[in-house]
Amino acid sequence: MFDTLSEKFSNAFKYVQGKSKISEENIEETLKEVRTALLEADVNFKVVKEFIAAVKEKSIGEKVIKGVNPGEQFVKIMHDELAKIMGDANEEINLERPGIVPILIVGLNGQGKTTFSGKLALHLKSKKKKDVLLVPCDTFRPAAKAQLQTLAKQIDVECYDSDLSLAPKEIVLKALEYAQKLHKNVVIIDTAGRLHVDEELMGQLKDVKMALDSFKPEVLMVADAMTGQEAVNVSKTFHEAIGVTGIVLSKMDSDAKGGAALSIRHVTGVPIRYVSMGEKMKDLELFHPDRLAKRILDMGDVLSLVEKAQENINESDADSMMKNFQKGKFTVDDFLKQMEMMSSMGSMTSILKMIPGMGGMLRQLGDLSPAEAEMKKMKVIISSMTKAERENYKVIKDSRLKRIATGSGSSIEAVNDFLGKFKQMEQMMGGLSSMMRGGGMPSFPGMGPQKGFRQEAGGTMPQIPGGKQKKKGTKGPWGKGYF
Ligand SMILES: Nc1nc2c(ncn2[C@@H]2O[C@H](COP(=O)(O)OP(=O)(O)OP(=O)(O)O)[C@@H](O)[C@H]2O)c(=O)[nH]1
Ligand SMILES: [Mg+2]
């Protein structure tokens, strides 16, 4: 997310790093580069202007705090201002009021309205314990009803059987009546999109909103983050025409540049409430401006990482792994579980980026997909091993080797290669475990004397072998192919 912007910011900060104090002269170059980076990321020019002025004012007036270098201080100012233009704290819609809350989902064609309707229903059902009714109200593209019904089935939420021959405002009134009878808490209404803002669509949406007026509907507008300033302009038009209570940025998993996220709140005054991050129903996050600012500035996002881990990690698996670890034991099954936990949390890059300081490191490492492909291969090999073999890989010799190779469609060398790497991991985990029990520093296989590394971009990086190296570097300490 916003990789180019992060990289340019990190380059811009080099002018203030190592200075004894922030002055007008030494931030001039930095601010120039920050401005260019923001404009290139398609951030609204007025927002850029105000942002730069605010950062400049805060930086120059800033006293150097003892123990904090001006570079760090500058990044902190950038963080606070970035968070501020995006809205500071997360504001989720208020569902704790009495009666049914209708949520109208609006936006242009193909922005992700129907997908988001399903995601929101799942979120409100599982996290907020609400009884939700999904209502298809797209009379423009009738296939949209079937699309919503399919999603509803997937997440086990009721979908209203709308009569699409009626006008949208009549559909919603009937649906609300039905929902009241069943004592539903929330009604999510998926509306039709259009290629461009047009009068007919706006008229229809106004009618629907008016019909729902006594229920005080929430109106969430879905905007594709990839479309940058276009998303900002369309949101403004929708807001002026029908009154929007929240914005949802969709497709944030794609290589959106950041323009929409950084400008919409400031330009429209409407808060961004959710970000849609993929095609799966659980790919929805609350929009936290402060956390996003941290991610953009490579400060990591430990809170989101912990939440992700809590959502995805199976406690009993984690428990049994910990028990083994405390005993200094590490089995192939433990390794498999670790890999599965990691992939259930997202791509390797997306997880590592949430760790403070990793952003710069990842830029040096480049593409991690070879390491992910390697992980997939390992999983296939492990799936061809018996339970006894996973408990104790040392029994794997001749005929077992052949069987695993055939079963996994790989060569005997590939299986041997995996076992060799696993042996190294086992030693390393054993070392870590004894260190945790007070046994001193572990000796990592093949690692040689320990070297420190600086966390910021440009420091000496620990290698993640298997990842394609962008810059010339030494081979990783853990041998080729080890992730
Ligand atoms: N990568 C990614 N794809 C998404 C996301 N949200 C939606 N999509 C995809 O975008 C396409 C359009 O999504 P829909 O939910 O049908 O969009 P819509 O706004 O309802 O479209 P109309 O009903 O035709 O106006 C589908 O292929 C979705 O799978 C997202 O957050 N990330
Ligand atoms: Mg749709």
Side-chain angles (χ1 to χ4, degrees):
M1 211 195 311
F2 307 164
D3 289 346
T4 316
L5 189 59
S6 295
E7 186 169 357
K8 290 197 176 136
F9 276 174
S10 136
N11 284 335
F13 296 157
K14 64 179 183 280
Y15 300 104
V16 274
Q17 263 151 9
K19 296 280 187 305
S20 57
K21 118 178 218 291
I22 303 177
S23 68
E24 191 147 4
E25 295 83 63
N26 61 29
I27 59 165
E28 194 176 315
E29 272 309 303
T30 299
L31 286 178
K32 215 158 97 190
E33 289 202 13
V34 167
R35 181 189 292 116
T36 314
L38 287 168
L39 289 171
E40 280 173 7
D42 204 14
V43 178
N44 176 284
F45 75 96
K46 273 195 204 141
V47 176
V48 176
K49 207 170 148 197
E50 283 175 37
F51 176 81
I52 297 289
V55 172
K56 189 171 178 181
E57 192 196 314
K58 298 245 160 70
S59 317
I60 294 172
E62 198 79 357
K63 284 202 194 82
V64 178
I65 306 165
K66 244 194 168 153
V68 180
N69 74 42
E72 283 164 8
Q73 240 174 308
F74 185 77
V75 174
K76 167 82 171 66
I77 294 168
M78 284 278 295
H79 165 267
D80 293 350
E81 291 304 312
L82 273 178
K84 203 158 133 196
I85 56 166
M86 290 190 283
D88 268 333
N90 171 258
E91 299 170 61
E92 220 189 322
I93 42 179
N94 176 20
L95 298 170
E96 303 316 319
R97 54 178 155 113
I100 292 190
V101 183
I103 307 174
L104 200 57
I105 313 296
V106 304
L108 292 186
N109 215 328
Q111 304 281 299
K113 294 181 295 297
T114 307
T115 310
F116 171 71
S117 301
K119 290 178 180 180
L120 182 66
L122 177 65
H123 168 74
L124 297 182
K125 173 187 139 180
S126 56
K127 301 258 171 68
K128 306 270 165 179
K129 310 290 171 225
K130 298 291 177 197
D131 194 354
V132 182
L133 180 71
L134 277 164
V135 178
C137 195
D138 183 346
T139 51
F140 189 69
R141 193 174 62 85
K145 179 174 169 182
Q147 188 190 351
L148 193 66
Q149 281 169 330
T150 309
L151 294 178
K153 211 178 238 166
Q154 250 179 52
I155 55 173
D156 197 21
V157 164
E158 186 177 355
C159 187
Y160 180 69
D161 185 17
S162 310
D163 176 356
L164 296 181
S165 67
L166 299 176
K169 64 175 178 193
E170 287 159 11
I171 297 176
V172 293
L173 285 177
K174 278 188 181 274
L176 257 293
E177 207 177 291
Y178 176 82
Q180 270 175 322
K181 252 190 240 151
L182 294 183
H183 303 292
K184 299 275 179 193
N185 313 114
V186 180
V187 173
I188 300 175
I189 303 151
D190 177 33
T191 65
R194 293 285 195 283
L195 222 44
H196 306 285
V197 175
D198 75 25
E199 299 230 332
E200 189 203 342
L201 172 71
M202 288 302 172
Q204 227 175 50
L205 291 175
K206 267 186 210 163
D207 287 348
V208 170
K209 203 186 159 207
M210 212 132 69
L212 292 172
D213 224 23
S214 60
F215 295 93
K216 300 212 173 353
E218 292 283 346
V219 182
L220 296 184
M221 143 117 205
V222 181
D224 181 342
M226 294 266 286
T227 60
Q229 281 315 289
E230 181 57 19
V232 180
N233 296 334
V234 173
S235 304
K236 198 160 173 259
T237 314
F238 266 76
H239 185 46
E240 282 162 5
I242 55 168
V244 172
T245 61
I247 287 170
V248 177
L249 283 181
S250 67
K251 312 193 188 178
M252 283 276 274
D253 50 314
S254 50
D255 57 351
K257 289 194 274 183
L262 291 170
S263 325
I264 280 193
R265 167 72 199 241
H266 206 71
V267 172
T268 63
V270 180
I272 303 173
R273 300 192 190 266
Y274 300 95
V275 270
S276 206
M277 312 268 299
E279 299 191 49
K280 287 200 219 88
M281 285 294 102
K282 67 180 183 91
D283 295 333
L284 182 73
E285 286 184 15
L286 300 184
F287 181 75
H288 290 286
D290 52 337
R291 298 187 193 181
L292 187 56
K294 284 198 176 70
R295 282 197 220 178
I296 294 174
L297 293 167
D298 283 350
M299 294 158 87
D301 179 1
V302 177
L303 283 178
S304 298
L305 183 64
V306 171
E307 281 173 9
K308 253 192 195 317
Q310 279 168 343
E311 275 168 30
N312 292 292
I313 288 176
N314 174 324
E315 249 175 72
S316 72
D317 276 357
D319 253 11
S320 79
M321 268 167 53
M322 201 58 206
K323 278 194 188 118
N324 273 350
F325 180 69
Q326 279 161 349
K327 283 188 258 169
K329 193 175 157 196
F330 182 63
T331 69
V332 173
D333 257 337
D334 290 334
F335 175 56
L336 182 65
K337 278 179 202 151
Q338 277 184 3
M339 282 199 288
E340 277 166 357
M341 280 178 192
M342 261 189 82
S343 41
S344 71
M345 286 167 62
S347 72
M348 222 186 251
T349 313
S350 71
I351 304 168
L352 291 176
K353 271 195 83 170
M354 291 190 195
I355 300 171
M358 269 294 186
M361 209 178 274
L362 281 167
R363 277 198 289 281
Q364 293 224 341
L365 286 167
D367 184 8
L368 288 187
S369 48
E372 293 194 313
E374 180 87 22
M375 259 171 66
K376 275 199 193 124
K377 269 192 226 153
M378 289 186 184
K379 280 190 197 167
V380 179
I381 291 178
I382 296 173
S383 67
S384 296
M385 290 166 62
T386 64
K387 190 155 176 36
E389 288 162 354
R390 292 186 200 186
E391 244 341 87
N392 177 16
Y393 69 95
K394 290 185 179 125
V395 300
I396 303 172
K397 305 229 159 69
D398 311 325
S399 68
R400 286 178 188 262
L401 259 182
K402 223 188 226 161
R403 195 204 73 245
I404 296 169
T406 317
S408 59
S410 38
S411 63
I412 290 187
E413 291 78 58
V415 180
N416 263 327
D417 191 41
F418 164 69
L419 292 173
K421 282 172 194 151
F422 183 77
K423 195 171 168 188
Q424 289 193 332
M425 288 184 246
E426 188 193 29
Q427 284 169 6
M428 195 176 84
M429 293 302 271
L432 275 177
S433 162
S434 74
M435 180 174 72
M436 305 277 268
R437 293 192 306 257
M441 279 301 281
S443 97
F444 292 143
M447 198 141 172
Q450 283 260 17
K451 276 189 197 134
F453 63 91
R454 289 191 298 131
Q455 281 211 325
E456 69 267 32
T460 313
M461 300 302 156
Q463 308 287 320
I464 299 186
K468 209 168 78 201
Q469 308 282 323
K470 250 189 202 166
K471 293 204 172 145
K472 234 171 126 186
T474 53
K475 235 189 198 172
W478 306 350
K480 187 174 152 278
Y482 189 119
F483 76 94

